Amino acid sequence: MEEGCSTPVGTRRSFFVKATMLISSIIGFSLAVPIVGYMVSPALKRQPKGWISVAKIEDIPANEPTVLDYSMTVKDGWQNSQSTKGIWAVKRDDGQIRVYSPICPHLGCGYRWENQDRLFKCPCHGSVYDMEGTVKAGPAPRPLDTLPSKVENGNLLVMYQEFKSGLPEKVEL
Ligand code: FES
């Protein structure tokens, strides 16, 4: 080989190999994104909301917070499964009913009704609410979250929703 005429063949070859790999990766990625999006999108779609009958109103005692099963079909991608939430219903003396989400608005724990104190209490950080859902103690930033409800033909119908925790206002997820 003449001095001064050497060709950096290895360097040029490795450049083309790397460039080819980069271009192939870009093409592969640009094809993969829409395919993955198409496959995953059913799982990410929000569930349609609907009214579900949870109890006969005559079966809900007045002034005794009552936990009711809200059973719904959850579409998880291409599979349907049953999910049950324990929602709280409070019937007043005048027959008005309020329904509360079972999720504490502080950081999302489940709370319970303590009958001897006549208060809802959350075991996680000590938030306390009265029967109206008003915060009486603890770090909860807002009252208990009410769920849309209505009475039809003697049945209590509820629409389940979830809200962001830790905020002073109700923001639906
Ligand atoms: S999650 Fe209920 S008090 Fe913190």
Side-chain angles (χ1 to χ4, degrees):
M1 185 186 299
E2 283 180 44
E3 202 175 315
C5 292
S6 65
T7 313
V9 174
T11 307
R12 194 184 304 157
R13 185 173 295 151
S14 73
F15 168 77
F16 284 121
V17 168
K18 284 179 184 165
T20 306
M21 284 171 58
L22 178 67
I23 292 167
S24 302
S25 301
I26 291 169
I27 292 170
F29 185 74
S30 64
L31 289 174
V33 168
I35 292 169
V36 170
Y38 172 77
M39 288 165 56
V40 168
S41 63
L44 300 178
K45 278 189 185 141
R46 288 194 137 198
Q47 297 302 306
K49 297 204 176 83
W51 293 100
I52 291 182
S53 175
V54 291
K56 290 200 168 300
I57 51 169
E58 65 192 27
D59 294 338
I60 303 172
N63 291 315
E64 293 296 331
T66 305
V67 69
L68 301 171
D69 283 345
Y70 182 102
S71 295
M72 59 188 162
T73 302
V74 178
K75 198 168 185 301
D76 183 10
W78 292 270
Q79 279 192 322
N80 290 334
S81 58
Q82 268 320 102
S83 172
T84 301
K85 311 280 184 187
I87 57 175
W88 287 96
V90 176
K91 184 159 87 174
R92 311 288 303 275
D93 282 330
D94 62 4
Q96 293 291 315
I97 298 176
R98 282 185 139 200
V99 179
Y100 298 119
S101 161
I103 299 171
C104 176
H106 178 228
L107 289 178
C109 288
Y111 59 88
R112 62 177 177 265
W113 173 250
E114 300 235 335
N115 206 33
Q116 72 261 37
D117 297 333
R118 308 290 295 163
L119 292 166
F120 289 107
K121 293 185 179 178
C122 180
C124 290
H125 312 97
S127 289
V128 176
Y129 312 85
D130 66 12
M131 213 189 290
E132 305 300 315
T134 308
V135 180
K136 290 299 184 184
R142 64 174 187 263
L144 291 177
D145 295 320
T146 52
L147 297 175
S149 63
K150 62 183 179 180
V151 175
E152 273 181 14
N153 302 322
N155 294 309
L156 176 64
L157 275 66
V158 174
M159 191 183 292
Y160 189 77
Q161 296 176 333
E162 289 188 354
F163 305 92
K164 287 186 181 171
S165 57
L167 300 178
E169 68 280 354
K170 238 169 116 177
V171 178
E172 195 181 347
L173 284 172

